[in-house]
Amino acid sequence: MKVLVTGGLGFIGSHTVVALQEKGYDVVIIDNLSNSVISVLDGITRITGIRPEFEAIDLRDKPVVIDFFDRHKDIGGIIHFAASKAVNESVHKPLLYYENNIGTLVYLLQQMQEKGIENFIFSSSCTVYGEPDSLPITESAPVKPAFSPYGNTKQIGEEIIRDTSKAYPEFKSIALRYFNPIGAHPSGHIGELPLGVPQNLVPFVTQTAAGIREVLSVFGDDYPTPDGTAIRDYIHVVDLAESHVVALERLFDNKQKSNFEIFNIGTGRGSSVMEIIKTFEKVNGVKLNYKIVGRREGDVTAVWADTSLAEKELGWKARLTMEDALRDAWHWQQKISAKKNV
Ligand code: WQD
């Protein structure tokens, strides 16, 4: 039996492939390399000693997706990461996001029905909550009108899966609503590889510290928070990866309470932008060049998870700290910067 990981060469996908292999699962990766590079396969192999099967496939190409499932008859579960995820880009290119994030999900689910594959883990996001009414956020918090087409594709994706699970009782799925994934594998063999100018905070921090970016812009220090900067729930990508294996095994072992469940995957702690900056400087002994600028459109003030449901039902809890994540992120940045300078 194999596990298919779509988007398995991406940031969270590659760390999840490592976690799956470490638990003894055979993995096959589909990735269209639109936001990743083939050398991630080498990084995974260096960590686990096992080179995953890989096929460069674009899930928008329906005949190719069908052919893939015709050839791979031993897939017992799917973890679906493949999607476009740049919030800002989605505002300017909504149709690319609806085609790539929704169309491909439908093709995958159709193949699962036709081929009798029953276990599905969906990569969702805390972005579905928008600006929360209360904190910490529980899974029963209202899903707000999305701030971006990207966020809307995650909301729509969950609804498509919910309807599918109602229509097909044998179909079992779990949506994991990630908070803010950061860090890298402690080995330094895989990590975040933002192509172009990083949109997210921590890769911009590490690239500034590495001298690739001149200065980090802090988007606003006039929020109603203790230090004026926005607050997020930053979770180590290794913890996040492990939550996918735990969720998939819940489905394999038929332990789910219903055939569509949703879990917040965060640390349960909120940290501000300034806390990230100061902690990064402290754990890595570097000085970060930053400046305060205006707020970024679409940003919420504060969001962090209530993770008690995942703890109770999945028996999962984040165990790594923000310090671990910022140390691992810097270790990874130094390794890729060194390679680039060769
Ligand atoms: C974090 C904080 C910024 C960059 C997004 C998506 C979410 C998920 C994670 C996919 C905010 C501030 C950032 C910078 C800054 N992605 N910041 N300077 O926006 O919370 O979440 O990425 O699933 O869905 O919405 O993450 O890292 O972009 O920002 O001050 O150069 O850092 O304003 O307060 P975000 P982020």
Side-chain angles (χ1 to χ4, degrees):
M1 187 270 284
K2 270 186 208 148
V3 177
L4 166 61
V5 180
T6 74
L9 293 186
F11 176 37
I12 306 166
S14 55
H15 288 79
T16 302
V17 169
V18 166
L20 284 163
Q21 290 186 323
E22 287 174 343
K23 283 299 287 286
Y25 291 100
D26 276 344
V27 175
V28 53
I29 295 171
I30 283 180
D31 201 301
N32 70 357
L33 295 166
S34 64
N35 193 24
S36 56
V37 291
I38 193 73
S39 60
V40 171
L41 263 181
D42 302 326
I44 293 169
T45 309
R46 287 189 67 179
I47 295 168
T48 64
I50 308 160
R51 192 172 189 80
E53 271 186 85
F54 168 70
E55 294 200 25
I57 285 177
D58 191 319
L59 289 171
R60 290 172 292 193
D61 193 340
K62 189 169 180 176
V64 172
V65 173
I66 294 170
D67 170 68
F68 173 88
F69 283 97
D70 287 344
R71 288 184 289 108
H72 291 266
K73 302 192 186 307
D74 53 355
I75 290 173
I78 299 178
I79 303 182
H80 180 45
F81 292 104
S84 302
K85 62 157 210 168
V87 173
N88 201 30
E89 181 188 50
S90 78
V91 173
H92 303 291
K93 300 178 183 170
L95 294 178
L96 181 147
Y97 275 69
Y98 289 116
E99 181 193 38
N100 194 36
N101 295 9
I102 302 297
T104 58
L105 172 63
V106 172
Y107 293 165
L108 267 184
L109 296 175
Q110 286 172 328
Q111 286 306 301
M112 291 184 75
Q113 298 311 316
E114 286 174 30
K115 305 295 196 297
I117 302 170
E118 296 180 348
N119 304 296
F120 188 67
I121 303 295
F122 180 63
S123 164
S124 190
S125 169
C126 64
T127 204
V128 303
Y129 296 116
E131 182 84 65
D133 299 329
S134 63
L135 289 165
I137 299 176
T138 67
E139 289 82 354
S140 53
V143 168
K144 299 272 187 74
F147 272 38
S148 69
Y150 162 73
N152 206 22
T153 65
K154 291 303 179 183
Q155 292 180 5
I156 296 167
E158 288 187 4
E159 289 314 309
I160 290 171
I161 296 163
R162 186 187 305 282
D163 290 344
T164 304
S165 56
K166 282 180 193 154
Y168 306 102
E170 73 285 355
F171 174 72
K172 300 173 283 173
S173 62
I174 289 176
L176 298 179
R177 288 176 177 168
Y178 311 153
F179 283 69
N180 287 56
I182 62 169
H185 193 272
S187 67
H189 295 315
I190 55 174
E192 195 162 7
L193 268 176
L195 304 182
V197 179
Q199 297 301 304
N200 294 128
L201 176 63
V202 171
F204 208 109
V205 163
T206 59
Q207 288 192 11
T208 304
I212 298 167
R213 307 291 163 199
E214 194 198 331
V215 60
L216 166 75
S217 297
V218 174
F219 296 142
D221 68 347
D222 58 350
Y223 285 99
T225 61
D227 65 19
T229 62
I231 293 172
R232 297 290 184 274
D233 184 331
Y234 295 97
I235 176 169
H236 197 302
V237 64
V238 167
D239 276 331
L240 178 56
E242 287 169 3
S243 73
H244 290 78
V245 182
V246 172
L248 189 61
E249 291 181 333
R250 179 179 176 85
L251 298 182
F252 286 158
D253 300 343
N254 288 303
K255 290 198 174 133
Q256 74 279 9
K257 293 267 171 62
S258 75
N259 69 333
F260 178 44
E261 294 177 307
I262 295 174
F263 295 102
N264 285 341
I265 301 295
T267 65
R269 285 182 307 283
S271 303
S272 72
V273 176
M274 283 315 296
E275 282 175 284
I276 289 280
I277 292 172
K278 294 306 170 198
T279 305
F280 180 84
E281 291 181 324
K282 178 165 67 67
V283 300
N284 295 313
V286 297
K287 193 85 190 85
L288 206 56
N289 185 22
Y290 67 89
K291 64 181 179 182
I292 307 293
V293 298
R295 295 183 180 189
R296 178 173 66 177
E297 194 187 340
D299 277 351
V300 299
T301 300
V303 60
W304 68 88
D306 177 321
T307 58
S308 50
L309 191 64
E311 289 170 39
K312 175 170 173 280
E313 295 299 332
L314 299 180
W316 172 90
K317 183 174 172 52
R319 54 185 175 79
L320 297 168
T321 64
M322 182 175 63
E323 288 76 4
D324 295 322
L326 293 172
R327 188 178 303 112
D328 292 335
W330 180 230
H331 177 220
W332 163 249
Q333 180 65 62
Q334 289 177 297
K335 287 197 73 170
I336 51 177
S337 300
K339 269 190 211 146
K340 283 214 175 84
N341 294 337
V342 168

